[in-house]
Amino acid sequence: MKTKNSYKTIAMLMSLCALGACSGTDMTYPVITSIGVPNPIDCQVYKKGESIKFNYIFTDDTELGNFNIEIHNNFDHHTHGTSSVECEMEPKKQPVNPWVYNKDFVIPSGTTTYDASIDIDIPSDIDTGNYHFMIRLTDRAGWQQIKAMGIKIEEQEE
């Protein structure tokens, strides 16, 4: 009796798997690619009052959804584990006026390749030091890819 139920369960699971494969269900992560001239890259240095010229190409086999850019301080030397590059770090410190940037961007419907180019103004009144620049790319099915890199913000030269 147990064997008969096992065969039914296996047959049902195989049928569901076949239906999922035939329905065109998106089962792959989108890709954040550094084709061309990606910016920013690990360990890049910027000045207060300047802008970061963000440029990455996003791809997906089915359809892209949206992306998010987040910038936050790394004064405590935490990591996000998406980069093997280690940047030179300033000593740990307590934030006084840290920069926090967090913005969502919609990618047009039906898009499988998107060239994301945005100028992000760096405030002139923020703390200098180590920051994380994070990209979160989500496709229409909800799969997400994350890329985090360390950048540094310095005082504007006079």
Side-chain angles (χ1 to χ4, degrees), residues 1 3 31-32 40 45 57 61 66 69 89 107 111-112 120 122-123 126 137-138 141 158:
M1 192 68 121
T3 306
V31 177
I32 300 168
V45 178
I57 296 173
D61 63 334
N66 58 43
I69 297 174
M89 301 290 283
I107 297 171
T111 304
T112 58
I120 302 169
I122 303 169
I126 60 167
L137 173 63
T138 308
E158 297 186 31

Side-chain angles (χ1 to χ4, degrees), residues 27-43:
M27 299 299 291
T28 60
Y29 291 98
V31 177
I32 300 168
T33 183
S34 55
I35 295 172
V37 184
N39 195 64
I41 57 173
D42 281 304
C43 310

Side-chain angles (χ1 to χ4, degrees), residues 3 23 27 36 39 45 65 84 86 94 109:
T3 306
S23 68
M27 299 299 291
N39 195 64
V45 178
S84 60
E86 290 189 31
Q94 290 296 314
S109 294

Side-chain angles (χ1 to χ4, degrees), residues 59-72:
T59 60
D60 188 66
D61 63 334
T62 307
E63 185 177 7
L64 292 164
N66 58 43
F67 67 100
N68 171 276
I69 297 174
E70 178 189 342
I71 304 168
H72 62 266

Side-chain angles (χ1 to χ4, degrees), residues 24 49 51 63 66 71 80 85 93 116 123 142:
S51 65
E63 185 177 7
N66 58 43
I71 304 168
H80 292 282
V85 177
K93 66 180 183 179

Side-chain angles (χ1 to χ4, degrees), residues 5-90:
N5 286 336
S6 296
Y7 288 126
K8 284 183 182 180
T9 303
I10 290 170
M12 188 169 48
L13 287 173
M14 288 176 61
S15 296
L16 287 172
C17 289
L19 284 172
C22 293
S23 68
T25 303
D26 184 355
M27 299 299 291
T28 60
Y29 291 98
V31 177
I32 300 168
T33 183
S34 55
I35 295 172
V37 184
N39 195 64
I41 57 173
D42 281 304
C43 310
Q44 200 154 6
V45 178
Y46 296 94
K47 306 285 186 196
K48 291 176 12 173
E50 294 181 342
S51 65
I52 297 173
K53 306 230 179 272
F54 175 79
N55 188 41
Y56 274 86
I57 296 173
F58 304 143
T59 60
D60 188 66
D61 63 334
T62 307
E63 185 177 7
L64 292 164
N66 58 43
F67 67 100
N68 171 276
I69 297 174
E70 178 189 342
I71 304 168
H72 62 266
N73 78 76
N74 187 19
F75 301 160
D76 63 355
H77 297 181
H78 67 273
T79 66
H80 292 282
T82 69
S83 176
S84 60
V85 177
E86 290 189 31
C87 302
E88 184 178 324
M89 301 290 283
E90 293 184 2

